[in-house]
Amino acid sequence: MRRISRITVAGAATASLALALSACGGTSTSSGSDSDGDKGLAIAYDVGGKGDQSFNDAAYAGLEQAKKEFGYETADVEPTDGETDADKEQRLVSLAKQGHNPVVGVGYAYAAAIKSAAEKYPDTTFGIVDDATIESKNVADLVFNEEQASYLAGVAAAKTTKTDTVGFVGGVDIPLIHKFQAGFAQGVKDTDPKVKVLSQYLTQTAEEGGFSSPDKGKTAAEGQIEKKADVVYAAAGLSGQGVIEAAAAKKIWAIGVDSDQYKQEALAKYKDYILTSATKDVAKAVYNLAKSVEDGKPETGIVRGDLKSGEVGLSDSNPKFADDAELQAAIKTAKEKIISGEIKVKSS
């Protein structure tokens, strides 16, 4: 358990304001005396920020669970436009300096910043979501087999399409998103080789807005729908909202990503057109890291979630999806074969 008494909740608002101010730029805050407080989990959001109904919001759900269970002070900090690795590092160092533990960077873009901050604060546990490159005794690399969930999404798409054409919209043309595309395409083709998969990436870099531009996602999905796609799967963060909007407007199916997007309040008016979502339990990974620190046995190294662990999969909130016996049987068979190793899902 934690050795130092907790900060009282009464000071949370003031501390949060100070944190927000200190994390918005300026010079490095890595020097000087550390906070005497013992605060809990803090997260620094990826592009798109809180409210993306996807990746970042899943991390926030993990933070909220930890806050409720452990009763400590948490913090969550937004990214800024055009920020550098130094800006990210300053944000993480500020959180560690104030006594937060663990400190999690949500997204691979935090890799350089996490590595540097972890060296400066060796007694703080850091976590990074979607990056497995950092080897440090106080860093947990929280990664997932997204391609496995995407394969199941491909099975669902192939079994659902009436036009034999489905679409994939990736936010940014990077290896992480290639995993989603590869798994999806393989799942489609293994299920029905005659189904065509249309694929498009929104941008080459995250800085161009691939993960944060619903308008780009909407335009891409509209283009695929014009080419007869009647199921469209997006792995594009906030941009995926535009894909879902386009699908709903044309009354075709969308497949969400990361979070169960059928349940997202901001997407409620589109939910009847969200067939399922290829989920990865970022919330559980973030919470588990916080719990490991709370228990005095911090996770480190690569911590992987997959179909077998239940940390990736397909949501079944939409009754039209859940009640389709033939579709569910096909997904169940594919899931069992992936877990057993009979099906090896490609990641690129």
Side-chain angles (χ1 to χ4, degrees):
M1 298 296 287
R2 295 175 180 271
R3 297 189 295 272
I4 308 172
S5 61
R6 290 194 168 61
I7 296 296
T8 60
V9 174
T14 301
S16 295
L17 177 59
L19 171 63
L21 292 173
S22 67
C24 288
T27 58
S28 173
T29 57
S30 62
S31 61
S33 60
D34 292 348
S35 167
D36 291 331
D38 180 35
K39 304 178 184 180
L41 171 65
I43 60 176
Y45 292 117
D46 197 5
V47 291
K50 186 178 176 183
D52 67 350
Q53 312 300 320
S54 182
F55 185 63
N56 287 300
D57 282 1
Y60 179 72
L63 177 139
E64 284 289 277
Q65 183 183 356
K67 181 178 181 180
K68 180 178 180 180
E69 183 164 333
F70 306 133
Y72 55 33
E73 183 180 339
T74 59
D76 58 309
V77 187
E78 295 284 353
T80 58
D81 291 337
E83 66 185 21
T84 64
D85 286 342
D87 296 327
K88 291 182 175 68
E89 180 186 339
Q90 180 186 346
R91 182 177 304 125
L92 299 173
V93 165
S94 177
L95 292 165
K97 186 180 180 66
Q98 293 181 51
H100 286 285
N101 188 20
V103 175
V104 177
V106 184
Y108 68 91
Y110 277 97
I114 287 279
K115 183 176 181 180
S116 184
E119 290 173 354
K120 293 177 179 178
Y121 283 83
D123 294 330
T124 298
T125 295
F126 291 82
I128 181 166
V129 181
D130 284 349
D131 183 88
T133 65
I134 302 173
E135 297 180 3
S136 175
K137 65 180 181 180
N138 62 322
V139 176
D141 298 321
L142 308 176
V143 294
F144 302 86
N145 286 116
E146 296 94 348
E147 71 278 7
Q148 294 180 348
S150 295
Y151 184 101
L152 299 184
V155 173
K159 297 290 288 185
T160 303
T161 181
K162 301 293 193 295
T163 64
D164 288 342
T165 304
V166 301
F168 171 82
V169 177
V172 181
D173 190 359
I174 54 173
L176 173 65
I177 306 303
H178 295 173
K179 293 171 67 179
F180 289 88
Q181 180 189 9
F184 180 69
Q186 185 181 348
V188 170
K189 293 302 182 183
D190 284 357
T191 304
D192 189 344
K194 73 176 181 293
V195 175
K196 183 178 181 180
V197 181
L198 306 175
S199 296
Q200 181 176 344
Y201 287 92
L202 301 180
T203 63
Q204 294 299 305
T205 67
E207 289 74 19
E208 296 171 280
F211 292 133
S212 56
S213 304
D215 58 325
K216 294 183 191 299
K218 183 179 180 181
T219 299
E222 287 172 342
Q224 293 183 343
I225 294 167
E226 287 178 2
K227 295 177 181 177
K228 306 302 182 185
D230 63 349
V231 184
V232 185
Y233 173 41
L238 184 65
S239 299
Q241 292 190 30
V243 174
I244 291 170
E245 181 183 352
K250 295 297 184 180
K251 295 181 168 50
I252 62 116
W253 287 115
I255 296 177
V257 77
D258 292 340
S259 298
D260 182 354
Q261 297 196 298
Y262 183 89
K263 290 184 174 181
Q264 296 291 343
E265 185 175 345
L267 299 173
K269 61 184 175 181
Y270 309 125
K271 71 177 186 178
D272 288 343
Y273 300 97
I274 301 175
L275 180 66
T276 180
S277 296
T279 60
K280 63 179 183 183
D281 205 340
V282 175
K284 182 177 179 180
V286 168
Y287 166 79
N288 282 347
L289 180 61
K291 186 176 188 303
S292 75
V293 172
E294 185 72 9
D295 291 343
K297 298 177 181 178
E299 292 179 331
T300 60
I302 294 177
V303 182
R304 184 176 297 279
D306 58 14
L307 273 182
K308 186 174 183 179
S309 72
E311 290 172 68
V312 303
L314 288 187
S315 62
D316 59 1
S317 299
N318 189 332
K320 291 182 180 178
F321 174 77
D323 296 342
D324 187 326
E326 181 182 350
L327 177 55
Q328 291 301 318
I331 291 169
K332 181 175 183 288
T333 297
K335 180 178 178 180
E336 290 172 348
K337 289 182 177 181
I338 292 170
I339 291 173
S340 71
E342 183 177 343
I343 294 176
K344 299 188 183 302
V345 184
K346 298 174 183 178
S347 59
S348 63

